[in-house]
């Protein structure tokens, strides 16, 4: 049961949960937070020689739940710092749950249900003019002007300050995936012929 | 994790003081995130959840109180080293003076060891 694979999966599930929970943060801060935690986990595993599931679980317990970390991030920028009246109720955050075997255990609603007392979550809309233009160019433009639409749309998507790196990655795969498949298909057909 | 009562004011206090503890550690030497977090965690009562340091580090960087550089690591991926910036040093100096005064005032008023 104590396989390296299970340990990797624990880390992946944890980082996925963190990514979900951090959806309300500005994308650059979300990326920054994920980079920091990912680096911490890698460094801790290298330093302590952590490979098995139990040790990884301890490591993640010490980090705190993704929701706790994101709550700290929201709390940290509630201006003016230290002056705002705070809710006296301590945040009730569930301890890191044991992932039930395979499959993601991250609660999809985690981003919307931050513990009480942290105030409204400043959720920036991911849709600005730039993002709409990028999606229209990638979707419609890709059909009407197959090459130009994609070539213009993708840089637009990557210029977005509202989308995180993951969002941009999804846009790139969706836009370029069919083209790559088509090219592979043509190449294969050429080889067969 | 902290069941209200006397723990609540302490957690507020800790939250306010933590960033100066970070700056103080960085005043001695540059550290990468994991090292910094573990040194804070070694001090009893300073850090409850290690992960919550990272949003703080992120803010200190945005405020220009610390700087970061990527350094290649002999084992594993490159590491981000944190260093104290001049603005961070000034903030730390100011805080240390205020803290000493505050600490003496509280010690003076609270019952216990002080005469």
């Amino acid at each position: 049961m104590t396989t390296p694979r299970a340990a990797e999966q624990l880390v992946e599930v944890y980082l996925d949960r963190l990514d979900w929970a951090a959806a309300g943060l500005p994308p650059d801060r979300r990326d920054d937070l994920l980079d920091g935690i990912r680096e911490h986990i890698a460094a801790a595993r290298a330093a302590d020689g952590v490979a098995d599931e139990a040790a990884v679980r301890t490591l993640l317990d010490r980090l705190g739940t993704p929701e706790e970390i994101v709550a700290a991030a929201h709390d940290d920028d509630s201006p003016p710092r230290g002056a705002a009246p705070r809710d006296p109720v301590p945040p009730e955050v569930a301890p890191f749950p044991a992932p039930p075997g395979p499959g993601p255990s991250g609660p999809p609603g985690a981003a919307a249900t931050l513990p009480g007392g942290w105030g409204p979550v400043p959720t920036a809309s991911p849709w600005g003019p730039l993002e709409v233009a990028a999606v229209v160019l990638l979707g419609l433009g890709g059909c009407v002007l197959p090459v130009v639409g994609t070539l213009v749309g993708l840089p637009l998507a990557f210029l977005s300050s509202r989308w995180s790196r993951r969002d941009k990655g999804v846009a790139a795969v969706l836009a370029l995936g069919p083209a790559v498949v088509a090219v592979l298909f043509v190449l294969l057909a050429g080889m067969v012929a | 994790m902290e069941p209200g009562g006397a723990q609540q004011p302490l957690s507020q206090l800790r939250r306010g003081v933590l960033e100066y503890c970070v700056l103080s550690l960085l005043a001695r030497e540059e550290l990468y995130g994991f090292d910094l977090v573990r040194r804070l965690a070694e001090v009893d009562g300073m850090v409850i959840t290690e992960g919550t340091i990272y949003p703080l580090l992120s803010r200190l960087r945005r405020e220009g109180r610390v700087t970061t550089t990527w350094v290649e690591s002999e084992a594993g991926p490159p590491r981000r080293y944190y260093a104290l910036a001049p603005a961070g040093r000034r903030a730390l100096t100011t805080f240390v003076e205020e803290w000493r005064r505050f600490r003496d005032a509280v010690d003076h008023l609270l019952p216990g060891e002080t005469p």
Side-chain angles (χ1 to χ4, degrees), chain B:
Chain B
M1 195 163 289
E2 297 193 347
Q7 288 287 347
Q8 194 57 25
L10 268 187
S11 86
Q12 302 286 344
L13 200 53
R14 185 190 299 119
R15 185 157 40 202
V17 166
L18 187 58
E19 70 179 273
Y20 297 99
C21 296
V22 168
L23 295 179
S24 183
L25 280 175
L26 293 178
R28 292 172 216 166
E29 58 183 318
E30 294 185 12
L31 292 167
Y32 71 102
F34 171 70
D35 223 6
L36 181 60
V37 169
R38 281 290 157 93
R39 283 190 200 200
L40 286 167
E42 277 168 13
V43 184
D44 185 37
M46 186 46 78
V47 175
I48 306 291
T49 46
E50 295 181 349
T52 56
I53 304 290
Y54 286 93
L56 169 64
L57 287 175
S58 176
R59 175 170 59 78
L60 289 175
R61 192 161 60 90
R62 287 198 306 280
E63 291 175 347
R65 293 187 171 190
V66 305
T67 55
T68 54
T69 41
W70 288 96
V71 176
E72 289 296 327
S73 157
E74 67 282 2
R79 288 168 171 175
R80 196 162 23 177
Y81 273 77
Y82 294 83
L84 193 64
R89 193 172 294 277
R90 284 195 296 276
L92 179 60
T93 308
T94 308
F95 177 79
V96 169
E97 286 169 19
E98 286 174 359
W99 173 257
R100 298 235 156 97
R101 206 175 316 133
F102 174 74
R103 178 199 62 192
D104 291 346
V106 174
D107 281 350
H108 179 72
L109 291 170
L110 289 182
E113 294 153 345
T114 43

Side-chain angles (χ1 to χ4, degrees), chain A residues 28-84:
Chain A
D28 54 333
R29 288 180 50 197
R30 182 182 178 184
D31 287 340
D32 204 34
L33 183 60
L34 273 148
D35 284 347
I37 298 292
R38 194 178 289 117
E39 204 187 312
H40 178 101
I41 293 173
R45 295 184 72 183
D48 306 338
V50 170
D52 70 333
E53 196 181 336
V56 167
R57 204 182 289 280
T58 307
L59 164 64
L60 298 180
D61 278 343
R62 287 185 69 165
L63 270 174
T65 68
E67 291 75 22
E68 277 175 307
I69 296 172
V70 172
H74 283 298
D75 194 48
D76 201 49
D77 63 6
S78 53
R81 281 195 281 108

Side-chain angles (χ1 to χ4, degrees), chain A residues 32-182:
Chain A
D32 204 34
L33 183 60
L34 273 148
D35 284 347
I37 298 292
R38 194 178 289 117
E39 204 187 312
H40 178 101
I41 293 173
R45 295 184 72 183
D48 306 338
V50 170
D52 70 333
E53 196 181 336
V56 167
R57 204 182 289 280
T58 307
L59 164 64
L60 298 180
D61 278 343
R62 287 185 69 165
L63 270 174
T65 68
E67 291 75 22
E68 277 175 307
I69 296 172
V70 172
H74 283 298
D75 194 48
D76 201 49
D77 63 6
S78 53
R81 281 195 281 108
R86 297 187 192 278
D87 197 312
V89 179
E92 291 301 332
V93 180
F96 185 66
S105 74
T113 56
L114 279 166
W118 301 97
V121 179
T123 312
S125 164
W127 296 108
L130 185 71
E131 289 73 17
V132 172
V135 167
V136 167
L137 277 169
L138 285 174
L140 260 181
C143 300
V144 180
L145 297 163
V147 180
V148 180
T150 309
L151 284 185
V152 178
L154 260 191
L156 279 188
F158 275 76
L159 279 175
S160 167
S161 62
R162 294 167 189 246
W163 288 3
S164 70
R165 274 201 303 257
R166 169 181 272 220
D167 299 333
K168 293 171 187 176
V170 169
V173 169
L174 285 179
L176 295 178
V180 171
V181 170

